[in-house]
Amino acid sequence: MELFRVRFINKIRPDTIEIRYRATLESHSSDTIFEGHQLFHRRYLKYQLLKTGEVALRSINNIFSAIPDDFVLDKISFEQSHDRSILEVPSKSSFDKYVIEHHYLNRVICHENKSNQPIIDTKIITELRIG
């Protein structure tokens, strides 16, 4: 099992919204194992995908699809948008629901509670960056 993390960085411009993401190993080498970005032209955009965080969840799906099955997501870092009416970070509950519905429990850190229900322990960090 290899642990990895994903970091999201956004750039909101007058005409576009760009979401970049990078997956790196949690080892000392911190090797990049996946990079992606999506550029949305605001004039032609359905904002609901960005307002719910669905774009980020789909990006994680892309990463899971591209890397070996024994790579386990330990941590996700999101950059919180300064304008939440345009772009929002997915909630922990929506992330957990997405993981369970898409059968990715083997790709995240998790355990079961006393009722044998999955508890996802993958850390989600939201940062508000200035500048």
Side-chain angles (χ1 to χ4, degrees):
M1 173 177 76
E2 288 273 356
L3 295 178
F4 74 98
R5 72 172 60 194
V6 176
R7 181 176 181 140
F8 285 87
I9 298 174
N10 354 308
K11 293 183 180 177
I12 299 176
R13 298 182 185 101
D15 295 332
T16 61
I17 299 168
E18 183 177 16
I19 299 173
R20 294 187 167 277
Y21 48 98
R22 175 181 289 169
T24 56
L25 293 179
E26 288 279 44
S27 66
H28 293 293
S29 68
S30 298
D31 291 338
T32 297
I33 57 175
F34 189 98
E35 283 187 72
H37 81 278
Q38 298 176 48
L39 181 67
F40 300 92
H41 294 271
R42 293 174 81 161
R43 183 174 171 196
Y44 307 104
L45 179 60
K46 290 182 181 178
Y47 280 95
Q48 193 61 24
L49 283 175
L50 297 174
K51 289 180 183 179
T52 62
E54 181 73 18
V55 168
L57 297 175
R58 290 183 184 186
S59 299
I60 293 167
N61 184 55
N62 290 341
I63 295 167
F64 284 154
S65 299
I67 64 175
D69 290 342
D70 63 335
F71 283 55
V72 175
L73 182 57
D74 178 50
K75 188 183 312 177
I76 307 170
S77 297
F78 290 105
E79 180 181 289
Q80 179 64 62
S81 170
H82 293 283
D83 188 346
R84 293 183 184 175
S85 67
I86 295 174
L87 180 63
E88 184 62 71
V89 169
S91 67
K92 174 72 164 111
S93 61
S94 64
F95 171 76
D96 292 355
K97 181 180 175 187
Y98 190 88
V99 165
I100 292 167
E101 286 177 355
H102 288 83
H103 308 287
Y104 284 136
L105 283 173
N106 63 326
R107 305 301 301 271
V108 297
I109 305 290
C110 65
H111 70 280
E112 290 183 352
N113 64 13
K114 293 177 183 176
S115 304
N116 294 327
Q117 298 297 316
I119 305 296
I120 297 173
D121 299 318
T122 294
K123 297 173 222 62
I124 296 182
I125 301 165
T126 302
E127 305 169 335
L128 181 59
R129 301 183 128 227
I130 307 298

